[in-house]
Amino acid sequence: MAEMTSVSKLAKLPKMNTPVITLNLNLKKLNYDTDEQTRVKTVLKKIQNEIGNGIDSFINEVNDLIRQQLPYEGITLISDKSGKQVYYLIRTSVEEADYHIDDFVDYLLLLSEAPNADYTLLELNRDNSKVYQLKNKRVSPLAVEHYPATVQDALGTEIRGGELNFSARGGNAQYHGHNETSQEKQIDQERYYRVISDLLKDDKDLGSHDFILMGLTKNVNLFKKLSKGLKISDVMIDQSVQNLSATAIAELVNNKVEEYNKAHSNDAVMNKFKDQLYTDPTNIQNLLNSRQIRQLFVASRDEINQSDPEMYAQINQLIKQALAQDADVTVVSEQSEMPLVSGVS
């Protein structure tokens, strides 16, 4: 049975027998596009012709996955020539079905076309909040059990700022207006944010997620100060999104994530590690052999193929080794001044 995996998990597996088959499928298109369905059949036939009848088990696994109608935009399937064990990775960038038959697993290809990162989004206002999910670049509201949408939901009768003062005589409640002070409202807001933080931290599904905070700067900073145990992303939407649609929020967040990733990559490589980079592949290999590489930076596939295509297989092996050791591997594109591969110990 085909097994879902990740790039790092794939790198830890025993070496596959060559040749290695890499098949990319656009599952979304397969649901409605008859041309894409025909294309997949053609691709599978080509694989069978190249590998031989021994690949029948791989073909069967592919067809079985297609029949399951998996809830992903696309997948990449990896198998050796025996087809006995098939692995698949979630993908969002497959345009149409294609395949490669190579002497190794192309880790640089898989990293370059990895799925978009998913986040949990937290909209923070003074007396209310909402939770969204960002999945495959799309934003949708996220239902969280027992989540207090408002400060009133969280604090109930313990709310201080803006509460109704009343007295009861003979079973009849008499209201005397609001007791409002900015200080009490601030206290309520802090208590509300602590309730939210604790609930999300203790949620078995959300506790390990990366959270992007959205709201006025003062609200976001207050939540960051009070939250304990949540993984808060460095990406922040420092404006109110209270009146924005999910589509507008998605556009805003995706742009911020893209800007951050580009700036962070540039900063990480060119500034933070500029004087600590090892750029000789032999030195990097030796450091990997002694498990001393903690970050590996590699150029894009196109840049390597244009500059020194003979290095591709060697760089791919360095990537595999780094991933197997849980080192961070970053594909750096559009930076011609960077070496094709560099490592930080």
Side-chain angles (χ1 to χ4, degrees), residues 35-292:
D35 289 339
E36 185 66 13
Q37 294 164 11
T38 302
R39 185 178 293 108
V40 171
K41 291 178 181 178
T42 301
V43 165
L44 292 178
K45 191 65 176 177
K46 288 181 178 178
I47 293 173
Q48 194 168 40
N49 290 339
E50 290 188 43
I51 302 296
N53 291 329
I55 202 63
D56 288 350
S57 57
F58 173 77
I59 304 297
N60 292 336
E61 290 287 359
V62 173
N63 288 324
D64 183 58
L65 283 173
I66 292 173
R67 282 191 294 269
Q68 291 181 40
Q69 294 187 325
L70 299 171
Y72 312 125
E73 296 274 327
I75 55 175
T76 290
L77 297 99
I78 307 286
S79 178
D80 64 16
K81 63 180 181 180
S82 72
K84 292 180 180 179
Q85 182 57 62
V86 180
Y87 301 93
Y88 69 94
L89 301 88
I90 301 171
R91 290 278 303 281
T92 58
S93 54
V94 179
E95 292 298 325
E96 60 184 32
D98 62 30
Y99 75 101
H100 307 275
I101 297 178
D102 305 295
D103 292 331
F104 50 80
V105 177
D106 194 335
Y107 290 97
L108 183 51
L109 171 68
L110 297 178
L111 286 173
S112 300
E113 301 181 352
N116 303 300
D118 295 335
Y119 293 93
T120 300
L121 313 178
L122 183 57
E123 174 191 330
L124 295 165
N125 303 304
R126 188 184 68 179
D127 54 8
N128 63 81
S129 62
K130 291 180 182 177
V131 185
Y132 300 87
Q133 64 176 355
L134 176 68
K135 192 172 183 64
N136 291 340
K137 291 195 171 186
R138 295 185 178 89
V139 167
S140 58
L142 185 62
V144 180
E145 188 175 9
H146 305 307
Y147 186 82
T150 68
V151 65
Q152 182 73 55
D153 293 335
L155 304 183
T157 58
E158 296 181 9
I159 194 169
R160 297 176 65 176
E163 69 179 344
L164 288 171
N165 295 324
F166 69 92
S167 60
R169 297 180 181 176
N172 297 317
Q174 298 182 4
Y175 294 87
H176 303 293
H178 289 275
N179 173 24
E180 294 189 32
T181 70
S182 59
Q183 183 178 5
E184 288 176 332
K185 286 182 177 291
Q186 175 70 17
I187 293 171
D188 284 343
Q189 184 179 8
E190 292 180 7
R191 293 164 67 209
Y192 179 39
Y193 284 3
R194 286 193 180 97
V195 170
I196 295 172
S197 176
D198 289 344
L199 184 144
L200 295 174
K201 173 178 64 68
D202 294 337
D203 187 286
K204 61 182 177 64
D205 295 322
L206 297 178
S208 60
H209 284 204
D210 290 324
F211 283 82
I212 291 179
L213 305 183
M214 309 183 297
L216 297 178
T217 303
K218 61 181 181 181
N219 293 338
V220 168
N221 289 340
L222 177 61
F223 187 87
K224 290 172 68 174
K225 176 183 175 182
L226 298 174
S227 64
K228 304 295 181 184
L230 281 182
K231 294 170 63 177
I232 305 297
S233 171
D234 290 333
V235 178
M236 180 181 78
I237 306 300
D238 54 351
Q239 69 177 68
S240 174
V241 297
Q242 195 166 9
N243 297 317
L244 297 183
S245 66
T247 302
I249 292 175
E251 182 178 2
L252 191 63
V253 174
N254 287 322
N255 288 339
K256 282 283 187 177
V257 169
E258 186 176 345
E259 289 173 9
Y260 173 80
N261 287 340
K262 186 173 182 178
H264 180 70
S265 178
N266 290 339
D267 177 68
V269 179
M270 301 308 299
N271 297 322
K272 186 175 181 180
F273 298 121
K274 186 174 182 179
D275 299 325
Q276 305 173 45
L277 290 177
Y278 292 88
T279 58
D280 180 73
T282 302
N283 286 343
I284 295 173
Q285 182 66 74
N286 291 334
L287 288 167
L288 281 168
N289 292 342
S290 57
R291 305 183 70 89
Q292 294 183 54

Side-chain angles (χ1 to χ4, degrees), residues 26-37:
N26 185 319
L27 297 181
K28 189 175 180 180
K29 269 189 180 180
L30 276 173
N31 287 330
Y32 65 86
D33 191 333
T34 55
D35 289 339
E36 185 66 13
Q37 294 164 11

